[in-house]
Amino acid sequence: GTISVGDVLDLEVDRERRTATMANHSATHLLNAALRQVLGEHVKQAGSLVEPERLRFDFTHSQALTREQVREIERLVNTWILDDHARTVEELPQEEAKASGAISLDGEDYGEGDVRVVSFDGVSKELCGGTHVDHTSFIGSMRIRSEQSIASGVRRINAVTRFGALQLAEAQEEALTAVAATLRTSPKDVVATAQRLVSSAGKPAAAKPVVDRAQTEKAV
């Protein structure tokens, strides 16, 4: 159809998509705070994408994250989620907002007027105009799917929350069960079993015994 001046329209927000987007956006703020706490305050946001299905966060850091660092960041975010931090929103003059400790995006033009500051109980405080959950517990949980380099000194994290995090956990459990069945072991013993197989496969074949032809002929 067409829209003309004076038309009366009904606006309806897709609640399911909005809910998922809110969770991923708030999780992005918590992820930013966790990265700065675990890796250091040199970490700066270098881009982000928030969708109903996932979140993507680019940040400045010169080295690949270790498995332990990824686990610590993920656990820290999930701890804040479980702690049920409340969201607060303030409209402040830009300089006052920055002086209060609110993180801003380098190079972003926030205009001359007041800016919107989104906080989660002292855990995270950023200049942001987007939609967010009222409490962190509404995020459910966050799981990091990947961490990689995308440019010199810039890395990227892909993550999921809510039902996306649940689906990831279910897929990983199914994969573990399938591998355990293939190796004819239990899920709790699958690592040890796989390590034994790899170790066994890496050993050189046993040398054939040397046959002394002269002694053989003498025996015959």
Side-chain angles (χ1 to χ4, degrees):
T2 58
I3 300 176
S4 303
V5 176
D7 286 350
V8 177
L9 308 175
D10 291 327
L11 175 64
E12 182 177 350
V13 175
D14 186 324
R15 183 176 295 275
E16 183 176 346
R17 289 180 61 83
R18 173 61 64 86
T19 297
T21 301
M22 291 164 59
N24 284 335
H25 195 175
S26 296
T28 299
H29 281 217
L30 299 184
L31 176 60
N32 191 11
L35 286 166
R36 290 169 62 84
Q37 183 165 320
V38 174
L39 303 179
E41 294 190 0
H42 66 277
V43 169
K44 302 291 184 183
Q45 180 177 339
S48 68
L49 174 69
V50 176
E51 297 179 324
E53 297 79 16
R54 64 178 179 131
L55 65 93
R56 188 183 74 202
F57 190 75
D58 300 341
F59 59 99
T60 57
H61 190 60
S62 59
Q63 297 177 324
L65 273 61
T66 65
R67 181 180 302 178
E68 290 73 21
Q69 287 173 327
V70 171
R71 182 174 298 175
E72 185 178 358
I73 290 165
E74 190 177 71
R75 183 176 290 125
L76 185 55
V77 171
N78 283 304
T79 297
W80 290 335
I81 290 172
L82 292 172
D83 286 343
D84 195 28
H85 293 281
R87 182 209 65 195
T88 58
V89 179
E90 300 175 278
E91 298 282 346
L92 299 173
Q94 189 170 158
E95 292 305 317
E96 182 179 341
K98 292 181 178 180
S100 71
I103 297 175
S104 59
L105 186 61
D106 290 343
E108 184 74 12
D109 183 6
Y110 294 98
E112 299 298 328
D114 291 352
V115 292
R116 185 171 182 262
V117 180
V118 177
S119 305
F120 286 101
D121 277 353
V123 170
S124 168
K125 192 172 190 177
E126 295 191 33
L127 273 60
C128 181
T131 184
H132 286 275
V133 299
D134 292 332
H135 291 80
T136 57
S137 61
F138 197 76
I139 299 171
S141 66
M142 188 203 75
R143 296 291 306 279
I144 294 175
R145 297 182 64 181
S146 64
E147 188 276 332
Q148 64 190 93
S149 171
I150 60 170
S152 178
V154 180
R155 307 198 64 81
R156 170 174 292 172
I157 283 179
N158 280 285
V160 287
T161 65
R162 288 177 61 80
F163 292 108
L166 176 60
Q167 290 169 350
L168 178 59
E170 290 175 341
Q172 291 174 336
E173 182 180 4
E174 289 177 4
L176 176 61
T177 301
V179 171
T182 301
L183 298 179
R184 298 183 179 182
T185 187
S186 64
K188 70 181 181 65
D189 295 325
V190 70
V191 174
T193 302
Q195 288 174 337
R196 286 197 299 270
L197 286 173
V198 171
S199 177
S200 176
K203 291 181 180 179
K208 294 182 179 180
V210 177
V211 177
D212 188 331
R213 189 174 180 181
Q215 290 292 331
T216 302
E217 291 177 347
K218 183 177 181 181
V220 172

